Amino acid sequence: MITLKNVTKVYDSQHAVIDVSFQVEAGELCTLIGPSGCGKSTLLRMLNRMIPTSEGEIAINNQKITDQDEVQLRRHIGYVIQNVGLFPHYTVEQNLAIVPKLLKKERSWIQQRSQEMMNLVHLPQSYLKKYPHELSGGQAQRVGVARALIADPPVLLMDEPFSAVDPQTRWNLQEAFLEIQRELKKTVIFVTHDIEEALALGDSIAIMKEGKLIQKATPQTLLLQPETPFVTEFIGYSFGVNLLAKFQVQDYYQPIASSPQFEYVSIPLQANLKQALAQMIQWGVDTLTVIDTRRQPCGMITFHQLQAVLQQVGENG
Amino acid sequence: MRKKIIGLATLISLLVIFLWNYQGIEQVLQAWLPTGSSIFVQRTELWTLFREHVQLVSITVGIALSVGIAIAISEEFDSTRQVRPLLQQLGTIFQSFPTVAIIALIVPLLGYGNRAVIIGVAIYGILPVMQNTLTGFEQVDPAVIDAAKGMGMNRWQQIWSVKFPLALPIILAGLRTAVIISISAVTIGAAAGSGGLGLPIILGLRSQNLVLILQGTIPIALMALIADQAFRLWEWRLHQR
């Protein structure tokens, strides 16, 4: 759990971060977003004391970060940055071993963990012996994530980690990271400048502007209960449709018993609701037949259900 | 790679042959070249002069290396970063001083002898080492430093495990300059009373004995070439990784 209370950063009388308070629960992935220069990276770097706080208090798991030695603090927080920052003179294996060695872990422990990490980020074991310059941008960032996770820190700070790669690679990295996050349930603060990435990854989204926190809430709340017009403007008109992509057909469809008649247009059970919407618009229908893996109809989903999903603020937000 | 090693080996064997067989070489040279007026001088053996020269160079380079790197590292602990441009400028200005001038300035302070020469030449060698170390540290990718710090490396660990190894090729280039400067400057040092291969050169100049001059200049030139080649080979090996 990360708690920020009235956090402020002043540089030579310029306010970079102004009176920011919010909380990220254990296991929550919070994306931090805002226009460039809004102070989001500054705020992130204050969490592991890379930048000292001017005013206010930050606590991780109810421990004030200023009560701990800053070097020790950082060893227990995973840190992933945009340019990866792999040590070019170290192999992947040596890069992975940096934090465990600082924590005085045993060699055999490090070796075993390194192998587990390679599996986790879907890289072959043979890559342990490679040097960073032999890796593609996406592979390097996978190693970056593995390096941050190897010592199993409860908290992960990520500063635009996937923004330096091409869109396809970024999408793959996001998918892979979500899968890892579902398994490990870290408390994550993830800075991004891409609202689609913020939405795709975040359990909650914190929007900043000119050093201030405008709103921190679930995507549904941002959509239906924006605190200022800026929020609506910032998230954009397609936010709601993109939000549908986070929900799966299998969680919302009506099973076959209650829907005797079938439409001709179908959607697989594993699809998401955004894809279902696209199908409806494309074919001009408001009901789709849901088919299972054997391509047998097993239920249906309607346009009204999709609408209802976006209205469920009371329950989820 | 192969060519470079062969070149280096050739230079080294030439030097060894010259040092071991000097008697023979001298006889050949004397037959061809003017030996000038034959004033009697106490002749130290060439091998001893060579050893003295190498010792002087090692000591001065040792001092230059440790002081140069120490200054650059202490600059890493200066959070204001205001001393750095000053050091860089100082280095550039100082290097335009001729070596002779520095030794000439130090002799009145410390008197004739090895001490003055060692200190004068070491001061001169500090600058390229310091400048290159500073430049090398600066050229390390900021993302790598950021990651190192963010993972919980303290300042010494950042310098020792990250900055230093990554700056090493550039530091080596500075060290190479320092060694070559030192080899030639120690020669001039003979005029200020130190030993080394400068001695036969000065004696040869005084007595217009070309053979005596060559006795000093040939091994010095070979040493400088060997040092240059050896360092370049080392730098090149580092770049390969």
Side-chain angles (χ1 to χ4, degrees), chain B residues 8-197:
Chain B
L8 186 60
T10 315
L11 287 171
I12 292 174
S13 31
L14 278 176
L15 181 62
V16 171
I17 291 168
F18 190 88
L19 293 175
W20 279 103
N21 265 338
Y22 185 66
Q23 304 277 308
I25 290 168
E26 193 178 29
Q27 275 166 15
V28 177
L29 288 174
Q30 269 168 347
W32 292 89
L33 295 166
T35 48
S37 55
S38 51
I39 35 164
F40 181 80
V41 282
Q42 172 112 45
R43 295 278 295 270
T44 321
E45 217 177 317
L46 185 60
W47 182 252
T48 315
L49 290 174
F50 173 74
R51 218 182 47 214
E52 275 176 10
H53 206 97
V54 170
Q55 273 171 356
L56 285 169
V57 169
S58 321
I59 295 169
T60 51
V61 169
I63 296 172
L65 187 65
S66 37
V67 176
I69 289 178
I71 295 175
I73 286 180
S74 59
E75 177 52 21
E76 287 296 306
F77 288 87
D78 163 36
S79 49
T80 60
R81 296 283 144 127
Q82 277 169 349
V83 190
R84 185 177 299 245
L86 203 76
L87 286 176
Q88 297 270 26
Q89 269 180 1
L90 196 75
T92 319
I93 294 168
F94 223 74
Q95 268 183 300
S96 58
F97 273 45
T99 332
V100 188
I102 291 179
I103 293 174
L105 280 174
I106 287 181
V107 168
L109 290 174
L110 295 173
Y112 275 86
N114 280 344
R115 211 160 49 140
V117 173
I118 287 173
I119 291 175
V121 178
I123 289 177
Y124 213 73
I126 289 171
L127 302 166
V129 174
M130 179 194 78
Q131 268 190 321
N132 279 42
T133 311
L134 285 174
T135 313
F137 283 176
E138 260 168 38
Q139 283 191 350
V140 176
D141 182 359
V144 173
I145 308 284
D146 191 47
K149 194 178 170 197
M151 283 187 290
M153 283 191 160
N154 64 33
R155 272 219 224 214
W156 280 111
Q157 288 163 335
Q158 286 169 41
I159 291 172
W160 181 245
S161 311
V162 183
K163 287 188 180 173
F164 199 79
L166 289 176
L168 197 57
I170 299 174
I171 298 174
L172 276 184
L175 183 61
R176 170 163 54 87
T177 313
V179 169
I180 290 166
I181 286 175
S182 173
I183 289 172
S184 61
V186 164
T187 313
I188 298 167
S194 74
L197 290 165

Side-chain angles (χ1 to χ4, degrees), chain A residues 2-293:
Chain A
I2 303 170
T3 319
L4 292 91
K5 233 184 257 170
N6 311 105
V7 173
T8 297
K9 177 69 197 176
V10 188
Y11 281 118
D12 307 324
S13 79
Q14 281 236 327
H15 285 68
V17 174
I18 306 161
D19 197 24
V20 170
S21 304
F22 68 89
Q23 189 165 323
V24 180
E25 301 298 331
E28 179 181 341
L29 197 169
C30 173
T31 48
L32 188 55
I33 192 169
S36 55
C38 70
K40 54 189 191 291
S41 278
T42 308
L43 186 65
L44 186 87
R45 291 165 67 84
M46 283 157 85
L47 290 167
N48 61 356
R49 293 181 62 189
M50 297 288 276
I51 295 176
T53 308
S54 303
E55 279 167 53
E57 236 174 56
I58 300 171
I60 292 176
N61 294 332
N62 296 320
Q63 256 199 309
K64 273 199 273 178
I65 59 167
T66 44
D67 287 350
Q68 302 163 57
D69 174 61
E70 59 177 30
V71 167
Q72 286 298 330
L73 173 81
R74 292 184 196 129
R75 290 177 189 173
H76 294 96
I77 296 177
Y79 187 53
V80 187
I81 55 176
Q82 182 184 350
N83 296 315
V84 198
L86 293 182
F87 291 3
H89 56 308
Y90 279 19
T91 60
V92 168
E93 191 168 25
Q94 289 168 321
N95 267 289
L96 292 179
I98 296 167
V99 180
K101 275 192 177 157
L102 290 172
L103 293 170
K104 310 250 185 298
K105 300 279 186 196
E106 275 173 36
R107 264 181 77 124
S108 56
W109 187 93
I110 298 174
Q111 215 164 16
Q112 199 202 333
R113 273 299 277 181
S114 303
Q115 287 166 3
E116 286 170 26
M117 284 299 121
M118 294 304 268
N119 288 335
L120 188 71
V121 298
H122 298 307
L123 285 176
Q125 299 292 338
S126 60
Y127 276 51
L128 283 170
K129 298 286 174 228
K130 287 195 187 238
Y131 280 93
H133 69 87
E134 298 172 284
L135 306 176
S136 70
Q139 290 166 343
Q141 196 51 283
R142 280 169 196 263
V143 176
V145 171
R147 184 173 70 169
L149 287 171
I150 190 164
D152 205 20
V155 171
L156 205 55
L157 304 178
M158 306 179 82
D159 193 357
E160 305 204 19
F162 305 151
S163 57
V165 293
D166 64 87
Q168 180 62 43
T169 309
R170 187 183 321 152
W171 192 82
N172 290 340
L173 284 169
Q174 288 170 359
E175 280 294 297
F177 181 65
L178 267 183
E179 195 187 307
I180 291 169
Q181 172 62 5
R182 270 183 224 118
E183 189 183 324
L184 301 181
K185 288 275 168 220
K186 299 290 178 192
T187 309
V188 187
I189 296 192
F190 187 112
V191 168
T192 174
H193 60 257
D194 174 8
I195 186 69
E196 286 186 29
E197 182 169 75
L199 174 62
L201 296 179
D203 299 319
S204 62
I205 300 174
I207 298 178
M208 284 183 73
K209 184 195 177 190
E210 290 162 6
K212 293 189 190 110
L213 177 72
I214 305 298
Q215 188 171 7
K216 188 241 174 205
T218 60
Q220 287 100 316
T221 311
L222 289 179
L223 185 65
L224 297 169
Q225 296 173 346
E227 274 182 21
T228 70
F230 174 76
V231 171
T232 310
E233 191 192 319
F234 188 80
I235 63 178
Y237 289 118
S238 47
F239 189 80
V241 175
N242 288 331
L243 176 54
L244 284 176
K246 297 189 82 164
F247 301 97
Q248 305 300 309
V249 169
Q250 56 191 346
D251 298 328
Y252 290 91
Y253 79 110
Q254 299 163 12
I256 201 154
S258 60
S259 53
Q261 83 254 51
F262 289 117
E263 295 291 333
Y264 292 110
V265 185
S266 64
I267 186 87
L269 203 51
Q270 311 80 26
N272 64 48
L273 298 189
K274 183 183 177 182
Q275 291 166 324
L277 180 68
Q279 269 310 74
M280 289 176 190
I281 293 167
Q282 187 185 346
W283 297 99
V285 295
D286 59 7
T287 309
L288 299 177
T289 300
V290 177
I291 54 173
D292 61 20
T293 43

